[in-house]
Amino acid sequence: MFAKPKQPPIKSLIAQGTRIQGDLLFAEGLRIDGEVVGNVRAAVDGASLLIVSEVASVQGSIEADHVIINGHVKGPVLARQLLELQPKARIEGDVSYRAIEMHQGATIEGQLRPMAGDGAEEKPTLKLAANHR
């Protein structure tokens, strides 16, 4: 009854040391450990998960349902459902999200733009991550 929705599987990996130039369109799950110069977008049909790891960088826009960032992004970010910013996340660009979870140490140089839910009066949720040392 209260189970979390199942995450889509990570089916693609851009490995550390790999550089992609050009736009990417993916389905389900993508993990970036390398460098992408171009826009990264998930298909709108079906759930999507994008992970930008601590060693990764993206120069371009990002769009997916669930976005987890712990690396460097230079461009706008759109998380259609949940945006998770890990401690080493650094975003240079505007951020749009339905729900956000931001850990201490993450930085954003841009505007935060909450997206309205299905109801016009619905407010986005904000989760504060606990400081675990």
Side-chain angles (χ1 to χ4, degrees):
M1 180 174 162
F2 294 108
K4 286 185 175 182
K6 187 176 178 185
Q7 291 284 1
I10 300 293
K11 291 194 170 183
S12 301
L13 168 68
I14 297 172
Q16 189 173 3
T18 302
R19 178 185 171 125
I20 303 285
Q21 289 189 252
D23 295 343
L24 293 174
L25 177 64
F26 71 95
E28 297 191 63
L30 169 65
R31 179 182 172 101
I32 300 173
D33 288 337
E35 181 181 357
V36 175
V37 179
N39 301 320
V40 180
R41 187 169 63 90
V44 291
D45 56 331
S48 59
L49 170 64
L50 173 64
I51 300 172
V52 179
S53 79
E54 178 181 330
V55 294
S57 72
V58 175
Q59 293 181 44
S61 65
I62 286 179
E63 181 180 342
D65 292 333
H66 185 174
V67 179
I68 301 172
I69 299 175
N70 199 22
H72 181 220
V73 175
K74 189 171 185 176
V77 175
L78 170 62
R80 295 186 290 250
Q81 296 299 322
L82 175 62
L83 174 63
E84 292 183 48
L85 300 177
Q86 301 293 320
K88 295 187 178 179
R90 196 171 87 228
I91 298 175
E92 298 176 50
D94 294 342
V95 175
S96 300
Y97 58 91
R98 182 149 308 168
I100 187 169
E101 180 178 322
M102 186 170 181
H103 290 254
Q104 184 176 355
T107 61
I108 300 172
E109 293 180 33
Q111 293 184 354
L112 290 171
R113 296 186 174 133
M115 295 171 22
D118 295 335
E121 296 297 318
E122 186 178 329
K123 299 282 186 194
T125 58
L126 174 65
K127 288 184 181 178
L128 298 177
N131 188 7
H132 294 87
R133 290 184 190 220

